[in-house]
């Protein structure tokens, strides 16, 4: 591949006119300009995540490894190139989604005073993109200028092919990863302890010992071996923070089964897990915490210039890390790659005082946040076809809380402040790839393996909507009289065993027992209803001398709190679910309309054809009625 012809509408002169160099930087000297054009047979949507991950691109080009350190909200880097030590301060990136990215550095040591890199994408068709690459350097003297020209000359013919190769590699990996790994697992179901395959990096003896422990726990051998091969052969940048949900999606395996492997791997000394505090703005990791009891109530992000509470639904992400004794993993950087780490941010532009900027955005229908860096507050932007006008006029001093525009809106930004301001537009949804605390709290294996883990007594952690199931033995007083204390205790203990087994079978977790009652939590309403039906059939209501149960199921928001030394759920949802048991009798299960809204619950109950009766339950604390449905399980 060779750069395209020079007769392009987007020229170097136009780029410098639209994106001029800062005047104070030009006082250090005249820039060297390098402007390249490549035609690539891929869409902008495919090209954008590769370009925004400049660390991956630089690595493929064989550029020097970089080390970064954050100090007072600024990112400082260093590397060594051609025997010269380079040190610099990263200037925060600017980018417009699918259109342009810009990064810059201010060097304190090295070949240059400053460098600016800008990547611009132009769609030529559904699967055809023109990529414009600009590098501008202000060198430190004549020798540095010669070295920079030679380096850029060598880089020019390699850059476009490198980017295209990464795009194709990503597509190939997505298409074949699962099938290839499954096939190799079937062909080689065991990991030989002494094997030292090419590229192996982990301690073979520790892997073998860990494998033995995981298989002894009854885990699937193929999945165990797949995880261990990943530990042994994957690159460091894939292993520094292992995101189980993301990995399960890529491997096309059960997220729950993979999570259980990693949890047992922690107990076996292969991994450790951290509770990562996530900034609500940039979604970057601010603090990595190893124990649940150390979760803070507040944290801060110097990069975004905010402090924030850490008890919200998306305040934490659980990630796994390889134990140093198994394989040392370094946090490697080839570039700071901010846009790759912040895919939810669709626009980030810093405007000088008094500057006005017009942007043709690619925002699709949806709701977005508008915010100025350093401010906690944000405004909402509703982009919808029915809105009138396709222009969003956003001024830094605007007091409006809501904006509307038709897709895709043109954006006019105006900085009315006396200092530079960074305008940010990002998506409002939460990161669906993140593993949240509730994903562990609702997993029985976590509660069993990490029973010593507990929240601090002053933490009330929002875990969002949960489906709760309460069981209760009907006529327990008479049952104790009839069976005697010893007989009743033995029967109740057997009852607990059966209930616990069914809760785990249907992927729930026992939160606690209250006397002879059980409280369980489920991530999915259909699992809770299926579990209730299974439990009721184990304890039929027609045997007067045996355990007979009534069950209530409700869904709603919960807080995770510490009760004694356990992780408990608290709130109105818990209270109502428990009280609703009073409205049912032996063999009956009460389900609220909130649970029935789930389509899988409706399908399950339709298949079971259980007799149903509507009822209204009067809440004792306020006298209001709650509609519910009572099912008789035969």
């Amino acid at each position: 591949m060779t750069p395209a012809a020079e007769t392009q509408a987007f020229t170097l002169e136009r780029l410098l006119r639209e994106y001029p160099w800062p005047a104070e930087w030009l006082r250090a000297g005249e820039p060297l300009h390098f402007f390249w054009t490549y035609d690539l047979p891929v869409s902008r949507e495919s090209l954008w995540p590769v370009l925004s991950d400049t660390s991956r691109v630089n690595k493929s080009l064989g550029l020097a490894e970089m080390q970064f350190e954050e100090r007072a909200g600024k990112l400082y880097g260093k590397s060594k190139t051609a025997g010269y030590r380079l040190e610099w301060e990263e200037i925060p990136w600017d980018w417009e989604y699918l259109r342009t990215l810009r990064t810059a550095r201010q060097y304190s040591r090295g070949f240059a005073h400053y460098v600016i890199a800008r990547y611009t994408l132009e769609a030529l068709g559904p699967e055809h993109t023109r990529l414009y690459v600009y590098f501008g350097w202000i060198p430190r003297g004549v020798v540095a200028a010669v070295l920079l020209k030679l380096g850029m000359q060598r880089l020019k013919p390699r850059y476009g092919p490198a980017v295209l190769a990464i795009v194709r590699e990503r597509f190939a990996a997505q298409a074949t990863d699962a099938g290839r790994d499954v096939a190799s697992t079937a062909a080689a179901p065991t990991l030989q302890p002494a094997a030292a395959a090419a590229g192996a990096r982990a301690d073979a003896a520790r892997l073998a010992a860990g494998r033995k422990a995981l298989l002894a726990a009854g885990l699937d051998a193929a999945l165990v071996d797949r995880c261990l091969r990943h530990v042994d052969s994957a690159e460091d940048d894939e292993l520094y923070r292992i995101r189980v949900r993301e990995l399960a999606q890529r491997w096309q395996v059960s997220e729950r089964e993979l999570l259980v492997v990693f949890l047992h791997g922690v107990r076996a000394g292969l991994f450790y897990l951290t509770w990562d505090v996530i900034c609500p703005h940039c979604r970057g990791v601010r603090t990595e915490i190893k124990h649940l009891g150390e979760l803070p109530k507040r944290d801060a992000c110097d990069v975004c210039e905010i402090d924030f509470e850490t008890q919200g639904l998306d305040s934490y992400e659980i990630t796994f890390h390889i134990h140093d004794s198994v394989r040392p993993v370094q946090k490697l950087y080839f570039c700071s790659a901010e846009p790759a780490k912040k895919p939810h941010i669709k626009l980030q532009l810093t405007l000088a005082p008094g500057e006005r900027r017009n942007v043709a955005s690619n925002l699709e229908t949806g709701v977005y946040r508008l915010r100025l860096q350093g401010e906690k507050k944000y405004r909402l932007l509703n982009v919808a076809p029915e809105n009138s006008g396709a222009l969003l006029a956003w001024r830094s001093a605007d007091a409006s809380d809501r904006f509307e525009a038709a897709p895709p809106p043109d954006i006019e930004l105006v900085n009315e402040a006396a200092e530079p301001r960074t305008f940010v537009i990002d998506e409002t949804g939460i990161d669906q790839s993140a593993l949240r605390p509730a994903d562990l709290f609702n997993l029985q294996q976590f509660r069993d393996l990490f029973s010593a883990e507990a929240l601090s007594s002053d933490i009330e952690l929002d875990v969002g909507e949960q489906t709760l199931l309460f069981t209760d033995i009907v006529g327990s007083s008479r049952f104790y009289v009839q069976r005697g204390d010893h007989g009743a205790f033995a029967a109740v203990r057997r009852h607990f065993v059966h209930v616990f087994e069914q809760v785990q079978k249907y992927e729930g977790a026992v939160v606690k027992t209250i006397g002879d009652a059980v409280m369980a939590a489920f991530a999915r309403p259909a699992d809770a209803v299926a579990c209730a039906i299974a439990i009721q059939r184990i304890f039929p209501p027609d045997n007067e001398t045996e355990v007979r149960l009534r069950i209530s199921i409700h869904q709603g928001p919960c807080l995770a709190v510490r009760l004694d030394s356990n992780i408990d759920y608290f709130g109105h949802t818990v209270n109502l679910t428990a009280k609703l048991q009073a409205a049912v009798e032996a063999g009956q299960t009460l389900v609220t309309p909130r649970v029935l809204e789930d389509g899988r619950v409706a399908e399950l109950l339709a298949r079971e054809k259980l007799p149903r009766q509507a009822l209204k339950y009067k809440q004792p604390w306020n006298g209001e009625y709650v509609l519910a449905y009572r099912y008789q399980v035969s």
Side-chain angles (χ1 to χ4, degrees):
M1 180 192 313
T2 58
E6 296 296 328
T7 58
Q8 306 300 328
F10 193 80
T11 62
L12 174 60
E13 290 72 22
R14 175 183 166 187
L15 182 144
L16 294 176
R17 184 175 62 252
E18 294 184 1
Y19 306 103
W21 275 72
E24 63 271 21
W25 288 15
L26 293 175
R27 287 196 286 267
E30 283 297 318
L32 299 174
H33 302 298
F34 303 91
F35 186 72
W36 311 327
T37 307
Y38 304 93
D39 283 355
L40 304 177
V42 294
S43 66
R44 285 192 302 178
E45 289 76 11
S46 301
L47 191 56
W48 178 266
V50 173
L51 279 178
S52 62
D53 189 358
T54 48
S55 177
R56 177 70 181 87
V57 175
N58 290 353
K59 180 180 178 181
S60 70
L61 290 168
L63 302 184
E65 176 190 327
M66 301 176 188
Q67 297 176 328
F68 286 91
E69 178 185 3
E70 182 187 316
R71 300 196 300 267
K74 295 183 178 181
L75 198 62
Y76 295 89
K78 59 184 179 181
S79 68
K80 196 170 184 180
T81 299
Y84 290 88
R85 186 172 181 82
L86 311 179
E87 295 181 1
W88 67 89
E89 176 189 334
E90 288 276 320
I91 306 302
W93 284 63
D94 277 355
W95 68 90
E96 305 164 32
Y97 178 61
L98 296 182
R99 296 182 62 85
T100 183
L101 306 95
R102 186 235 63 186
T103 182
R105 291 174 182 162
Q106 178 175 333
Y107 284 87
S108 58
R109 185 174 181 179
F111 303 109
H113 294 287
Y114 302 98
V115 63
I116 294 177
R118 180 172 291 277
Y119 314 91
T120 304
L121 285 71
E122 179 185 356
L124 301 181
E127 295 296 330
H128 189 189
T129 303
R130 181 161 292 157
L131 168 63
Y132 302 94
V133 179
Y134 168 77
F135 288 100
W137 296 87
I138 299 182
R140 291 180 184 271
V142 176
V143 174
V146 171
L147 293 174
L148 287 169
K149 289 178 180 179
L150 290 174
M152 291 292 101
Q153 185 178 2
R154 288 196 299 266
L155 185 62
K156 180 179 180 179
R158 298 165 53 207
Y159 193 89
V163 170
L164 182 59
I166 297 172
V167 173
R168 288 173 171 169
E169 179 184 311
R170 286 167 62 97
F171 276 112
Q174 292 170 0
T176 64
D177 181 69
R180 181 176 62 248
D181 283 344
V182 169
S184 63
T185 297
T190 61
L191 184 73
Q192 299 300 325
R201 300 173 176 88
D203 184 285
R206 291 300 305 270
L207 285 186
R211 181 179 189 273
K212 183 178 180 181
L214 296 179
L215 296 184
L219 303 179
D220 179 72
L223 190 56
V224 168
D225 288 336
R226 192 170 185 180
C227 291
L228 297 185
R229 278 196 302 276
H230 188 64
V231 169
D232 194 38
S233 60
E235 298 294 334
D236 278 8
D237 55 1
E238 292 187 66
L239 298 175
Y240 179 71
R241 293 179 72 240
I242 300 175
R243 307 179 84 202
V244 167
R245 175 162 292 159
E246 192 174 79
L247 194 61
Q249 291 171 351
R250 178 152 61 92
W251 285 357
Q252 298 183 20
V253 299
S254 164
E255 175 189 314
R256 193 179 189 87
E257 291 179 9
L258 186 60
L259 178 54
V260 170
V261 169
F262 273 92
L263 290 173
H264 278 275
V266 173
R267 303 300 292 175
L270 295 172
F271 312 107
Y272 65 93
L273 67 83
T274 59
W275 307 78
D276 301 339
V277 181
I278 304 299
C279 171
H281 282 185
C282 68
R283 297 187 184 175
V285 178
R286 305 315 306 162
T287 311
E288 293 180 347
I289 298 166
K290 290 188 176 181
H291 297 289
L292 189 56
E294 299 171 0
L295 300 189
K297 299 183 74 171
R298 301 189 66 83
D299 208 328
C301 179
D302 292 338
V303 176
C304 294
E305 302 173 14
I306 62 168
D307 57 25
F308 54 91
E309 294 184 352
T310 60
Q311 300 182 69
L313 181 61
D314 53 353
S315 296
Y316 295 94
E317 178 180 1
I318 293 89
T319 58
F320 291 83
H321 309 257
I322 298 174
H323 199 283
D324 286 346
S325 63
V326 175
R327 173 182 167 178
V329 174
Q330 295 182 349
K331 187 175 183 178
L332 300 179
Y333 291 93
F334 292 81
C335 182
S336 61
E338 284 196 62
K341 298 176 183 177
K342 306 171 184 178
H344 65 293
I345 296 180
K346 300 305 179 185
L347 179 144
Q348 177 171 301
L349 292 177
T350 301
L351 272 63
E355 183 180 356
R356 180 188 303 267
R357 185 87 61 87
N358 293 310
V359 177
S361 80
N362 290 281
L363 298 181
E364 300 176 345
T365 299
V367 178
Y368 300 86
R369 295 192 306 181
L370 309 181
R371 56 183 174 84
L372 296 171
Q373 185 165 305
E375 295 184 359
K376 295 182 182 179
K377 68 177 182 179
Y378 57 84
R379 306 154 177 85
L380 291 179
L381 167 63
N382 178 30
V383 178
E386 61 270 18
N387 292 335
S388 61
L391 175 65
L392 165 64
W394 178 15
R395 309 174 76 89
S396 62
D398 203 316
S400 301
D401 293 328
R402 292 179 177 272
F403 294 85
E404 293 184 346
D410 292 330
I411 303 174
E412 181 185 64
L413 304 176
V414 182
N415 180 15
E416 300 173 317
E419 66 279 341
R421 299 305 306 266
T422 299
F423 293 73
V424 180
I425 300 179
D426 59 13
E427 295 176 329
T428 57
I430 64 174
D431 185 356
Q432 299 297 330
S433 298
L435 200 66
R436 304 298 183 185
D439 296 315
L440 294 191
F441 298 163
N442 289 353
L443 187 66
Q444 191 63 52
Q445 290 89 337
F446 171 77
R447 288 179 175 266
D448 293 341
L449 291 170
F450 298 87
S451 57
E453 288 285 335
L455 291 162
S456 172
S457 58
D458 62 343
I459 292 291
E460 299 172 358
L461 192 62
D462 185 354
V463 291
E465 294 242 333
Q466 304 299 323
T467 304
L468 302 183
L469 178 151
F470 274 80
T471 72
D472 184 38
I473 294 180
V474 178
S476 57
S477 298
R478 183 178 59 182
F479 176 71
Y480 275 80
V481 171
Q482 290 176 340
R483 299 292 296 270
D485 289 343
H486 291 289
F489 176 74
V492 170
R493 185 172 58 184
R494 288 194 299 271
H495 138 267
F496 278 139
V497 170
H498 287 301
V499 172
F500 285 18
E501 286 177 346
Q502 296 305 311
V503 169
Q504 184 163 342
K505 176 181 177 181
Y506 289 96
E507 300 190 356
V510 174
V511 177
K512 62 183 176 182
T513 60
I514 312 107
D516 51 26
V518 174
M519 172 185 173
F522 297 80
R524 296 181 294 270
D527 291 336
V529 175
C531 179
I533 294 172
I535 290 173
Q536 291 287 26
R537 285 175 175 160
I538 294 174
F539 303 101
D542 55 358
N543 191 332
E544 294 294 331
T545 61
E546 291 296 331
V547 171
R548 300 176 300 142
L549 297 179
R550 55 186 174 190
I551 299 176
S552 57
I553 303 173
H554 180 47
Q555 183 181 13
C558 296
L559 296 177
V561 299
R562 177 174 181 168
L563 178 65
D564 298 327
S565 61
N566 298 318
I567 301 166
D568 196 6
Y569 286 163
F570 176 82
H572 175 69
T573 301
V574 178
N575 295 335
L576 179 58
T577 311
K579 293 295 184 182
L580 284 172
Q581 289 184 323
V584 289
E585 301 173 353
Q588 295 180 341
T589 296
L590 185 142
V591 181
T592 61
R594 182 70 183 85
V595 177
L596 294 174
E597 290 175 5
D598 187 279
R600 287 169 294 183
V601 171
E603 293 174 3
L604 171 63
L605 292 174
R607 288 197 307 270
E608 292 290 341
K609 298 180 180 179
L610 302 177
R612 183 176 99 164
Q613 178 185 8
L615 58 88
K616 289 185 177 181
Y617 172 76
K618 185 177 182 180
Q619 300 177 88
W621 47 83
N622 59 12
E624 296 181 358
Y625 285 89
V626 174
L627 177 66
Y629 295 91
R630 185 165 52 197
Y631 292 86
Q632 183 71 47
V633 180
S634 56

